[in-house]
Each structure stands twice: as structure tokens, then as C-alpha cells.
Amino acid sequence: MGLGSLSSLAAAAVALVFLSLLAVGHCRETQFNASDVDVGNENLNASDAAVYWGPWTKARATWYGQPNGAGPDDNGGACGFKHTNQYPFMSMGSCGNQPLFKDGKGCGSCYKIRCTKDPSCSGRTETVIITDMNYYPVAPFHFDLSGTAFGRLAKPGLNDKLRHSGIIDIEFTRVPCEFPGMKIGFHVEQFSNPVYFAVLVEYEDGDGDVVQVDLMESRTAHGPPTGRWTPMRESWGSIWRLDTNHRLQAPFSIRIRNESGKTLVAKNVIPANWRPNTFYRSFVQYS
């Protein structure tokens, strides 16, 4: 296969991915009264969404989807995560507006939230995971929760009554994600091929978020090991891609950097006989 053919193959894959992105569901436009909206940022401190166990920060919450659902009808969302109705998400997902979603780099982040002002609120803390993008914020920090997550904030038996409140005041703080028994997951995306490789990073214990992904091929096209990390580009959500002008040489190692600066390496996690639309899991080394 010539260089021109390889470039065409990569370009076609990128175009198909873009079309699939257009079809991804996201938080629906929340119905609210104009008097309920406060999107001013005079008190906004973006670091409040980054510091673990920091001070409780004020936010507002709405909900979307089915009352006892995971949010999106397809159990997915703008982060690219799949099966958010299953472990470890367990339908406890949330859309986040930009200070929480962070152009996709906030995907997978975990937050403790609580509500106390509404009479139906229990005051208990619940953990939610950023799985989607909130395009219609009603406050500087806005969690558009799944119906399940919103209902979990209520006193026993008052789940539906709290949902009928529509918009409620909450507080939040960033916490490490805890996914017992889960290995980090890498889903090779549907249109990946020898010159275009896209991967969804999922189930990352600890920080949860991903701000950079690098890939190391096992060897060069001529045989010797590369020993070199190649930066991948964020495609959308928690999906990262690499476009090349040569056939990629698997197995691949993948390195992840978190917002905290922590680095994780999954050595040879993608095997030589990898296939698109397939999950691969691995323990990681921290540095």
C-alpha cells in the first residue's frame, strides 16, 4: 500500500469518526424559568473542580433522561463511555458544564455532591462521574444528573418529589474515583486501522480524568524497538487518536497523564492482533 493510499485511509477514518460524533446524544436542553438561571462567573474558581477534598463549592443541579435511568437513551454520552448503566458507573453519571467537562479532559472525574436546601433533600453525599457535556448551564457550576443520581439525593420515598423540583442548589467537592476490581480499559474504536488508531480510555481508578495520552509502538517498521512515545490527539470526550503516514507496529503500550500530573503506563496493552471495536484491559504502572 502506497503512502497516498495510507493517507486516504486515515482521512476516511477521521471523517467517519466525525460523523459518528454528530450522532452522539448529550444532555437535553433543560426546561427552566429565566429567573432560575445564574451563569455569571464572578465567583467562579475553576480550581474548585480540580482539588481533591477541597471546600464544598456551590452549584446547581438538574436531571435528564428517564427518572430511574442513566441519562442518555443509549447509556453513553459526549465522553464516549459505553454502558453507563452498568458497573462501575451504575447510572450515577452527570453532564458537566465547561468548568467540569473541560473540553473532554474532565471525563471520568468523580465528585461528591449533596443537597440540603430543598425540603426533599436528604443531606447525604453521593458520588457521581462526569460522563457527558452540559451545553445549557444554569449556573457557573452545573451538574445535569441522570434521573437515578438526582433521585439518590432525596430522603427515602421522596425521590419523585425532589425530581419535580427541577433545579436545586447543591454543593460538590472533587474526590478520587474508586472502582474496586476494575482494570483500566482501552476500547479500540470502530474505524481504527493500520494508519489510524483511536482508543477510548475508561475505568481509570484514582484521578479518573485524562489530559494526555501517548502511544509507543513495539518496534519500527524496520525491526528495532522504538523506545519512543508518540503523543496522541484528543478526538472528542475521552477518545484519543493517532494519525500516521506508516503502518503502526503493534503491540502498543499506552501512557496516560492526569490533571494532577500523575503518569500511568499500560505496557503492551494493545496486542499484535488487535481488532477495532474491542476492549483491552491492563494493570498499570504509576510514575
Side-chain angles (χ1 to χ4, degrees):
M1 185 179 289
L3 182 59
S5 298
L6 290 175
S7 300
S8 298
L9 190 59
V14 172
L16 288 170
V17 170
F18 177 73
L19 291 174
S20 70
L21 173 58
L22 296 179
V24 171
H26 53 72
C27 295
R28 56 92 178 102
E29 184 170 1
T30 308
Q31 301 301 314
F32 49 80
N33 295 321
S35 60
D36 289 331
V37 180
D38 175 17
V39 293
N41 59 7
E42 63 273 9
N43 296 316
L44 175 63
N45 184 354
S47 65
D48 289 339
V51 178
Y52 290 116
W53 298 111
W56 286 97
T57 301
K58 293 180 180 180
R60 306 196 92 182
T62 51
W63 67 278
Y64 75 115
Q66 297 300 312
N68 294 298
D73 293 335
D74 62 356
N75 296 319
C79 286
F81 299 142
K82 299 167 175 64
H83 309 300
T84 56
N85 58 322
Q86 300 176 13
Y87 183 81
F89 300 105
M90 299 302 288
S91 299
M92 293 295 287
S94 177
C95 300
N97 64 322
Q98 180 55 23
L100 301 167
F101 186 76
K102 304 174 185 175
D103 291 324
K105 293 180 175 63
C107 288
S109 301
C110 294
Y111 294 91
K112 289 278 189 187
I113 60 173
R114 67 186 183 189
C115 72
T116 57
K117 288 187 177 182
D118 191 288
S120 300
C121 288
S122 69
R124 292 191 313 268
T125 61
E126 298 289 346
T127 302
V128 296
I129 306 169
I130 299 298
T131 57
D132 210 341
M133 171 65 182
N134 180 353
Y135 296 90
Y136 307 99
V138 300
F141 290 110
H142 177 188
F143 290 80
D144 197 10
L145 302 167
S146 68
T148 296
F150 198 94
R152 288 278 290 273
L153 296 173
K155 294 174 181 175
L158 297 182
N159 311 68
D160 287 335
K161 187 174 181 181
L162 183 62
R163 291 190 193 98
H164 288 153
S165 297
I167 300 175
I168 61 173
D169 294 310
I170 64 169
E171 296 176 312
F172 74 94
T173 186
R174 177 85 180 269
V175 295
C177 298
E178 297 180 359
F179 303 143
M182 293 295 298
K183 297 179 181 178
I184 193 167
F186 300 93
H187 182 267
V188 178
E189 294 298 288
Q190 182 175 358
F191 303 112
S192 296
N193 58 62
V195 295
Y196 170 84
F197 184 78
V199 64
L200 166 70
V201 183
E202 217 171 17
Y203 312 140
E204 189 195 334
D205 218 359
D207 285 20
D209 60 55
V210 176
V211 300
Q212 180 58 48
V213 178
D214 306 312
L215 181 144
M216 182 186 291
E217 299 175 70
S218 60
R219 58 187 176 85
T220 66
H222 304 291
T226 64
R228 184 179 70 251
W229 291 104
T230 301
M232 301 183 74
R233 297 172 60 189
E234 185 181 16
S235 186
W236 57 276
S238 197
I239 296 175
W240 294 74
R241 77 175 192 265
L242 179 63
D243 309 279
T244 73
N245 58 6
H246 69 277
R247 296 180 69 91
L248 293 165
Q249 305 297 313
F252 306 139
S253 297
I254 295 179
R255 182 173 67 184
I256 299 167
R257 191 174 79 249
N258 304 131
E259 188 175 31
S260 66
K262 186 187 300 179
T263 299
L264 304 79
V265 175
K267 189 173 182 180
N268 295 330
V269 62
I270 309 299
N273 60 344
W274 64 269
R275 295 182 178 182
N277 215 19
T278 304
F279 260 113
Y280 299 98
R281 305 196 188 283
S282 174
F283 290 111
V284 294
Q285 299 172 338
Y286 293 85
S287 62

